[in-house]
């Protein structure tokens, strides 16, 4: 009986001991369950909310939840977002980033196509212009049904002028010729030349023996009539411009070349031109000039290409594209849409660990095929935001996050893979906690 009672007492004491051990273990283990051994505990209490805002209009702040001026639900701005953390930048909630459609890209080395392409317009060759002027006072007798825009050949009649003073001078010259006095004849002939008469007109007067006071003025060169300043019955004065003839043997092709690509071109290099009016055809020209003035609205330099106009097929005003030859090069590339151009600087938005973002200033180079060359400010393998970066940049500005400057540490160089570069800060954060 005593043995049975002792055995029951032993069982009860053992049970109490197990309960005590369990309670003790709970006291020891509970802090680990509540405290998140990885150091992410909030230390008790709720996160402090500074204000409420709409990500679409981040400069508007509200004291509590509700609708914004855009009729969108506001979200809280916590005190621990964008503050002093080991990882620089501003923190955006991952769910919000997904709703904004944020896409990412990685800075990588690739081949950037070397051929440069630009839009171009065919224009007149301004060096091939002939100006027709009146050499004496007179009256317009006939204009030969000419009008601006007409294409005429060289030597075609343009206008008939009645010049009374020339008729009197020619009559005197013919009278002197009949005297046979050579010195007087030479002096009288020289007078006609000084009055503006051409050698062919004087020779015609000598052959016919009659004065000509109605003169037909012909075009010195073929081309298109750009301006025609006379009509029948008008009076003209000496030196007055009667017409301007622009030749069509050659034309200019004016190309709008992006400012960043102008330094790669050299005067004299060969250029291929594709015109919309002639699909599938290629025309070859030569770059004759890069105009010194920069077009401010489009930030382009005008390149002047001269081309032969065989058969007069090329007409001023035709639209096309030009291609400058050049070899492809290897460069650090990012999507062109990822670069934010403010006018004063170019920045990209770095995707940091733990849902944080930081702007970084970069220096860009050439563009081709939707890719932009990064000359400085970014390392190979760094992860950037390719879409939705404007809203993140606005949030970073409101949070006072400064952009990473261009410096020795941010020049393009071969870096560790993205995963490795992101793992280091995270491991340091765990060890500090």
């Amino acid at each position: 009986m005593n043995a049975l009672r002792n055995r029951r007492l032993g069982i009860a004491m053992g049970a109490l001991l197990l309960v005590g051990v369990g309670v003790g273990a709970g006291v020891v283990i509970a802090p680990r369950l509540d405290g998140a051994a990885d150091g992410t505990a909030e230390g008790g209490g709720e996160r402090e909310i500074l204000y409420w805002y709409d990500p679409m209009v981040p400069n508007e702040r509200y004291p509590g939840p509700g609708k914004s001026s855009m009729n969108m639900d506001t979200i809280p701005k916590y005190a621990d977002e964008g503050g002093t953390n080991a990882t620089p930048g501003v923190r955006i909630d991952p769910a919000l980033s997904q709703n904004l459609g944020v896409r990412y890209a990685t800075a990588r080395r690739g081949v950037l196509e070397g051929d440069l392409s630009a839009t171009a317009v065919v224009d007149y060759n301004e060096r091939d212009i002939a100006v027709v002027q009146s050499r004496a006072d007179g009256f317009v007798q006939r204009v030969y049904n000419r009008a601006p825009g007409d294409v005429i050949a060289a030597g075609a009649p343009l206008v008939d002028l009645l010049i009374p003073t020339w008729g009197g001078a020619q009559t005197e010259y013919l009278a002197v010729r009949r005297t046979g006095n050579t010195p007087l004849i030479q002096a009288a002939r020289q007078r006609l030349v000084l009055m503006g008469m051409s050698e062919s007109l004087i020779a015609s007067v000598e052959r016919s023996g009659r004065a000509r006071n109605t003169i037909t003025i012909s075009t010195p060169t073929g081309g298109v009539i750009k301006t025609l300043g006379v009509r029948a019955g008008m009076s003209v004065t000496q030196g007055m411009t009667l017409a301007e003839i622009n030749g069509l043997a050659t034309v200019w092709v004016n190309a709008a070349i992006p400012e960043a690509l102008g330094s790669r071109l050299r005067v004299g290099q060969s250029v291929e031109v594709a015109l919309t009016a002639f699909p599938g055809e290629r025309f070859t020209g030569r770059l004759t000039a890069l105009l010194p003035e920069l077009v401010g609205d489009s930030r382009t330099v005008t390149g002047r290409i001269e081309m032969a106009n065989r058969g007069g097929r090329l007409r001023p005003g035709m639209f096309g594209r030009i291609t400058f030859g050049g070899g492809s090069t290897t460069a650090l590339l990012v999507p062109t849409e990822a670069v934010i151009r403010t006018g004063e600087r170019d920045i990209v938005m770095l995707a940091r660990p733990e849902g944080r973002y930081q702007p970084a200033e970069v220096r860009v180079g050439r563009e081709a095929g939707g890719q932009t060359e990064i000359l400085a400010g970014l390392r190979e393998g760094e992860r950037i935001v390719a879409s939705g970066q404007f809203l993140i940049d606005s949030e970073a500005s409101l949070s006072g996050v400064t952009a990473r400057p261009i410096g020795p540490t941010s020049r393009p160089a071969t870096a560790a893979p993205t995963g490795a570069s992101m793992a280091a800060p995270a491991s340091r954060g765990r060890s500090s906690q």
Side-chain angles (χ1 to χ4, degrees):
M1 191 70 176
N2 292 334
L4 180 61
R5 185 170 53 215
N6 291 337
R7 187 172 61 180
R8 289 178 177 176
L9 181 60
I11 293 173
M13 293 181 64
L16 290 175
L17 180 60
L18 290 176
V19 171
V21 171
V23 171
V27 172
V28 175
I29 296 174
R32 294 183 60 82
L33 295 176
D34 298 336
D38 59 354
T40 59
E42 295 292 335
E46 298 181 355
R47 298 171 67 186
E48 179 184 358
I49 298 177
L50 298 178
Y51 55 87
W52 296 71
Y53 71 104
D54 180 1
M56 301 297 293
V57 193
N59 58 331
E60 295 183 4
R61 302 182 180 185
Y62 302 90
K67 296 289 186 179
S68 69
S69 61
M70 302 290 291
N71 199 30
M72 301 289 291
D73 293 331
T74 58
I75 62 174
K77 174 69 176 180
Y78 295 103
D80 57 354
E81 292 180 350
T84 55
N85 286 312
T87 304
V90 61
R91 185 180 183 277
I92 304 294
D93 186 83
L96 177 59
S97 300
Q98 184 176 4
N99 293 336
L100 293 177
V102 176
R103 292 187 290 106
Y104 303 94
T106 302
R108 61 175 182 82
R109 290 200 172 274
V111 177
L112 192 66
E113 295 298 329
D115 288 343
L116 308 181
S117 181
T119 59
V121 178
V122 179
D123 200 357
Y124 290 104
N125 184 346
E126 298 292 341
R127 292 193 179 96
D128 189 10
I129 293 182
V131 179
V132 182
Q133 293 182 322
S134 173
R135 297 188 177 184
D137 299 342
F139 306 93
V140 179
Q141 296 289 94
R142 183 181 178 186
V143 190
Y144 289 90
N145 200 28
R146 305 297 187 190
D150 289 350
V151 178
I152 56 178
L158 184 64
V159 61
D160 286 350
L161 292 182
L162 172 62
I163 307 177
T165 56
W166 281 13
Q170 293 171 9
T171 301
E172 294 178 1
Y173 172 61
L174 293 174
V176 172
R177 277 175 58 88
R178 286 192 290 268
T179 64
N181 190 330
T182 303
L184 290 178
I185 295 174
Q186 292 178 350
R189 195 178 194 280
Q190 184 63 24
R191 180 187 174 207
L192 299 183
V193 174
L194 295 177
M195 291 181 68
M197 301 181 200
S198 63
E199 289 291 338
S200 60
L201 175 59
I202 297 174
S204 176
V205 171
E206 291 174 345
R207 286 193 305 267
S208 64
R210 292 182 301 173
R212 294 181 53 188
N213 55 5
T214 300
I215 310 302
T216 299
I217 299 179
S218 303
T219 57
T221 182
V224 60
I225 301 176
K226 293 194 68 176
T227 62
L228 183 64
V230 292
R231 287 294 183 266
M234 287 181 55
S235 61
V236 297
T237 58
Q238 184 178 5
M240 178 179 174
T241 298
L242 306 179
E244 291 184 1
I245 313 297
N246 207 137
L248 294 175
T250 59
V251 293
W252 284 347
V253 180
N254 294 325
I257 302 169
E259 178 183 6
L261 306 180
S263 60
R264 300 186 56 208
L265 305 180
R266 295 293 180 269
V267 174
Q269 70 181 91
S270 179
V271 179
E272 284 191 352
V273 183
L275 298 176
T276 307
F278 304 104
E281 288 192 53
R282 290 282 181 171
F283 300 87
T284 303
R286 184 175 60 89
L287 182 65
T288 59
L290 287 171
L291 302 190
E293 183 178 1
L294 183 71
V295 181
D297 294 340
S298 58
R299 308 302 300 174
T300 56
V301 178
T302 301
R304 179 178 294 165
I305 297 96
E306 185 171 324
M307 291 197 313
N309 187 14
R310 298 180 179 86
R313 302 176 65 199
L314 307 181
R315 300 175 180 271
M318 286 183 172
F319 180 80
R321 295 193 67 86
I322 61 172
T323 303
F324 297 89
S328 302
T329 57
T330 302
L332 184 65
L333 304 177
V334 298
T336 301
E337 62 177 340
V339 182
I340 302 176
R341 301 180 184 273
T342 65
E344 298 180 355
R345 62 178 182 173
D346 301 320
I347 61 175
V348 297
M349 191 62 59
L350 298 174
R352 294 292 192 180
E354 304 172 3
R356 307 188 73 85
Y357 302 91
Q358 181 190 14
E361 186 176 353
V362 295
R363 185 163 62 249
V364 300
R366 298 179 292 126
E367 296 181 12
Q371 299 291 316
T372 297
E373 177 186 15
I374 301 298
L375 301 177
L378 203 60
R379 292 186 294 270
E380 183 179 359
E382 286 191 298
R383 196 163 175 247
I384 62 174
V385 179
S387 177
Q389 68 272 30
F390 290 97
L391 293 176
I392 299 176
D393 179 57
S394 178
E395 178 66 18
S397 300
L398 291 174
S399 302
V401 178
T402 58
R404 186 180 74 180
I406 298 177
T409 59
S410 58
R411 290 176 182 169
T414 302
T418 307
S421 63
M422 286 188 172
S427 62
R428 288 196 297 268
R430 288 194 294 269
S431 63
S432 62
Q433 298 175 2

